[in-house]
């Protein structure tokens, strides 16, 4: 590839990292609390509230059911309101976040369900409040699973960001479409694929290492 295309590849990689990093951070900040809410409001749980649980579950399931490309187009007015534009890297962060939050919430819920119920029962018997049980029992015990959930979400966001590039979202997907496909430059397409694979492998390896470290504490 020419030096100009190499520079563009680096810029596109940075755009992808920005999209994945920001939307992933938003997904963690909002998705984990939603996952906690799904757990503690379920039948027989700490703060049983079946109506709230059903509403949260319905919203999460509905959002997750919409294919990302359709979701991205459907919320263009919302994206334009938040980012003041519907095209580019900044705009792509909005639908990426909307798609990642319920995804993270469900995986976080599954990780929290793996916590030994006996620990929660023991904490309640010792007089711990629901907030104390959540902060000092549920979240610490589920931490390896939550880290693994975060990595799965980030890896999924890499794929979503590539799809966002197909409609002007920037990043590696945009470069692959505009140069590799539309301009018939197979070496560019190959380079984009290699970088995406390397990025996913790096994320997964880091996540596996962190989970092993936390599991052996």
């Amino acid at each position: 590839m020419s030096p100009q295309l190499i520079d563009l590849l680096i810029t596109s990689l940075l755009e992808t990292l920005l999209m994945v990093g920001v939307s992933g951070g938003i997904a963690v900040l909002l998705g984990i609390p939603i996952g906690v809410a799904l757990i503690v409001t379920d039948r027989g749980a700490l703060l049983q509230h079946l109506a709230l649980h059903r509403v949260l579950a319905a919203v999460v399931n509905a959002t997750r059911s919409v294919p990302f490309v359709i979701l991205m187009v459907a919320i263009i007015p919302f994206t334009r309101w938040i980012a003041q534009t519907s095209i580019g890297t900044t705009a792509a962060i909005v639908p990426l976040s909307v798609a990642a939050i319920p995804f993270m919430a469900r995986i976080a819920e599954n990780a929290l369900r793996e916590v030994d119920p006996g620990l929660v029962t023991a904490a309640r018997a010792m007089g711990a409040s629901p907030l104390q049980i959540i902060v000092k029992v549920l979240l610490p015990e589920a931490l390896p699973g939550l880290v693994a959930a975060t990595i799965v979400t980030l890896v999924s966001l890499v794929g979503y960001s590539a799809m966002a590039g197909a409609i002007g979202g920037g990043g590696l997907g945009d470069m692959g479409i505009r140069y590799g496909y539309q301009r018939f430059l197979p070496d560019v397409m190959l380079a984009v694929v290699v970088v995406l694979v390397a990025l996913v492998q790096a994320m997964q390896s880091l996540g596996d290492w962190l989970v092993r470290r936390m599991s052996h504490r």
Side-chain angles (χ1 to χ4, degrees), residues 21-32:
V22 174
S23 57
I26 293 172
V28 169
L29 290 176
L30 298 181
I32 290 179

Side-chain angles (χ1 to χ4, degrees), residues 5-212:
L5 287 176
I6 292 175
D7 290 341
L8 181 60
L9 180 65
I10 294 172
T11 300
S12 299
L13 173 60
L14 294 177
E15 289 176 349
T16 295
L17 291 175
L18 176 63
M19 288 189 287
V20 172
V22 174
S23 57
I26 293 172
V28 169
L29 290 176
L30 298 181
I32 290 179
I34 294 174
V36 170
L38 287 168
I39 287 290
V40 301
T41 58
D42 202 357
R43 188 181 302 276
L46 288 172
L47 301 170
Q48 177 177 310
H49 195 303
L50 296 183
L52 177 59
H53 179 81
R54 292 191 185 103
V55 170
L56 284 175
V59 171
V60 167
N61 290 338
T63 309
R64 288 184 62 203
S65 300
V66 181
F68 178 68
V69 172
I70 296 176
L71 175 68
M72 194 164 42
V73 174
I75 65 169
I76 282 177
F78 177 69
T79 300
R80 191 177 290 118
W81 180 64
I82 294 292
Q84 303 303 309
T85 180
S86 59
I87 299 175
T89 302
T90 303
I93 290 172
V94 177
L96 285 171
S97 301
V98 172
I101 289 169
F103 185 86
M104 181 70 194
R106 275 303 184 194
I107 306 180
E109 179 193 8
N110 292 335
L112 290 163
R113 287 194 187 281
E114 296 298 319
V115 176
D116 185 357
L119 295 174
V120 176
T121 302
R124 295 180 78 170
M126 289 187 291
S129 67
L131 180 60
Q132 289 175 323
I133 293 174
I134 292 170
V135 173
K136 296 184 178 180
V137 178
L138 278 177
L139 290 176
E141 290 296 323
L143 188 57
L146 293 175
V147 170
T150 301
I151 296 301
V152 171
T153 301
L154 291 175
V155 169
S156 297
L157 282 170
V158 172
Y160 288 165
S161 71
M163 285 188 278
I167 60 171
L172 291 168
D174 181 51
M175 181 179 180
I177 293 295
R178 285 196 295 120
Y179 290 86
Y181 177 71
Q182 294 178 348
R183 301 189 185 184
F184 304 103
L185 296 174
D187 56 333
V188 173
M189 183 65 79
L190 177 61
V192 168
V193 171
V194 169
V195 171
L196 285 171
V197 170
L199 180 59
V200 169
Q201 289 292 336
M203 287 180 175
Q204 193 63 61
S205 298
L206 176 61
D208 292 343
W209 178 77
L210 288 173
V211 170
R212 286 196 299 270

